Amino acid sequence: MMEENHTNTLGKVSLPVIPIYEEEFDDFETEVTKFHSGNIPDNEFTGWRLLRGVYGQRQADSQMFRIKIPFGGMNADQLETLGIVARDYAPLKKGHVTTRECFQFHFIKLDEAADLMRTIAKSGLTTREACGNTVRNVTGCAFAGVCKDQVFDSTPYAGAFARYFARKEFIQNLPRKFKAAFSSCSSDCVVAGIHDIGFIPVIKDIEGVSTKGFKMLVGGGLATFPRVAETLYEFIPAPEFLRVSEAIIRVFNNSEELRKSRFKARIKFLVSWIGIDGLRERVEKELTEKWASNPINIDEFIWEDDEYKNIDTAEDFESPADEIQLNGDHDEYTAWESTNVREQRQSGYYAAEIKLPLGDITADQFFALASISRKYARSRARTSYQQNIVFRWIKKNDLKKVWLELKKIGLSSNGAQEITDVVSCPGTDSCKLGITSSMGLATAIRDTLEEEGIEDPLTKELQIKMSGCPNSCGQHHIANIGFHGGTLRSDGKMLPAYELFLAGQHQNTNGLTKLGERLRVRIPAKRVPNALKRILTHYKENRNENEKFNDFFERVGNKSFEELLQEFHINGQFNEEEKEEIFVDWGKEETYVLERGEGECMA
């Protein structure tokens, strides 16, 4: 399928969220040439290219290319451009939505990176600071601006944050990466609690005036030291949020204790060591420095789009008589509408979440999605940390048309954000730090759940996430059921296995993030789907009426699950069917060998 040449009838925004500087592409080519000729040491070049979004894979001479999508917002032209990248540069002919709402393309040749950068720049996309020890992509709610429950639309402020910090000199060599997230409702719809800095919108009455601002959370993070962020400030007025944010990041950058070890160089460690009150003292002191005396004109950075302009009123919509009939597809469509569609705050409009298989989109699907966006979604789309895509501004009578077009490209599945909407990092498919094939396991789990045909509502609402190592790129700590890759040894050989975490929590109404509890059991990778079925059966058969999974876990305790799963742990004995396959990871053919390189997350 060739991409269609369309003009955005709504008109493009005047500037991309993050400014594009074409001379940077020439600089990249120059530095690559120097590197190939041996004039730049490998470690020096690695740090330099990471700041430009190019990340080394476990496969020699292959790069992962990460494109920033601030707050997950895209237009149709950008979707089409991503299709061109998938078609012309990515050997696998696909792209991948990450849990940080970026797009990744794998197996890219280093010598093609500059051309790829030029290609995406034409539609206002950049890789600048998508990797490395800097301020990473800022995430936002995929329904911000259209959600009925929002406090206010945080998109303009998330855009301002991305714009303000891009290319700032002092963020080019932070102790480690720094991640931010903007919610649009009080329930923390973006899991701000696992971020270095998180923003929860608040409207406060100040001397009789309703004032927008943010509750600011600091010090969250996952990986081997998972920690939930704490409240640094209950309320910071919106005009001041950039200045306070800069003070926090400067404190992080200037903290000498964080530079002693890259393994403990995240702000969550600083908060753990000196406490949230100690951090606040340092931030308040930083705000007295000379740089902070100069006011920041937030209006220069606020991101303004034309997304809300010229929307139709209810009288402009087609009448019910014009609605198309689905006939044999009716039940399938109804299931999709019930799980993937929600009504917007704007009367007559709906948002539809497209459930992507493990976050993957093929080149042809990119082009088709761009076309759908132009026809039905005001040329807009959003990625989500659930690794899905959301179309907004769909009229009621267009929902069936959208679904039919999605069905043509294999993206019409129901169950968005339900148990079959499994989240996974790339694992050993490409990551140097990967221990197990998390994508392979995710596929096996998804297939198992589909075969089970789960109808129980309380089971369907569970979230399953997995990572190929303890670093939690798949955010397994905040799932109801989470897995991270590890190993076990039996018969003198090593085999792939998984740690298990239960009763994590996100997307909740009380605004609290909860980390899952780690069980004292490790399960061989090939036994995980059956172990998962045992967990679900235990829950369904022994819960109280209307008892949710996390409440059930709290009541029966982790020991109940550990005893339940003990038989899945290695006991030195395998049945005939398992003898060979248990030493082979999901999606692989060869016997498992632990091959873990030096990752670039701390380069």
Side-chain angles (χ1 to χ4, degrees), residues 456-504:
D456 173 50
L458 289 175
T459 302
K460 287 175 70 174
E461 72 180 25
L462 299 184
Q463 295 279 307
I464 298 176
K465 301 176 185 288
M466 62 205 63
S467 306
C469 77
N471 287 316
S472 204
C473 292
Q475 299 181 345
H476 60 269
H477 288 94
I478 57 171
N480 300 108
I481 303 173
F483 302 93
H484 85 59
T487 60
L488 281 169
R489 186 175 292 276
S490 182
D491 292 347
K493 294 187 292 184
M494 195 170 286
L495 57 90
Y498 283 86
E499 304 271 2
L500 179 59
F501 295 76
L502 296 181

Side-chain angles (χ1 to χ4, degrees), residues 376-419:
Y376 305 112
R378 294 178 62 80
S379 291
R380 296 297 187 273
R382 296 268 181 125
T383 54
S384 75
Y385 73 89
Q386 191 68 16
Q387 297 180 309
N388 291 330
I389 280 185
V390 174
F391 282 149
R392 300 121 65 90
W393 304 104
I394 304 172
K395 297 177 182 178
K396 176 67 173 178
N397 282 5
D398 286 336
L399 283 170
K400 291 178 181 177
K401 300 173 187 176
V402 169
W403 181 79
L404 285 171
E405 295 209 27
L406 291 172
K407 187 173 182 179
K408 291 178 184 177
I409 60 173
L411 294 178
S412 62
S413 297
N414 62 39
Q417 298 193 37
E418 290 189 341
I419 192 168

Side-chain angles (χ1 to χ4, degrees), residues 11 71 123 153 246 256 309 350 474 493 532 538 544 581:
F71 54 83
S123 64
D153 184 3
E246 180 166 350
E256 293 298 328
K309 291 182 180 179
Y350 294 79
K493 294 187 292 184
L532 174 62
H538 180 48
N544 294 329
E581 71 169 20

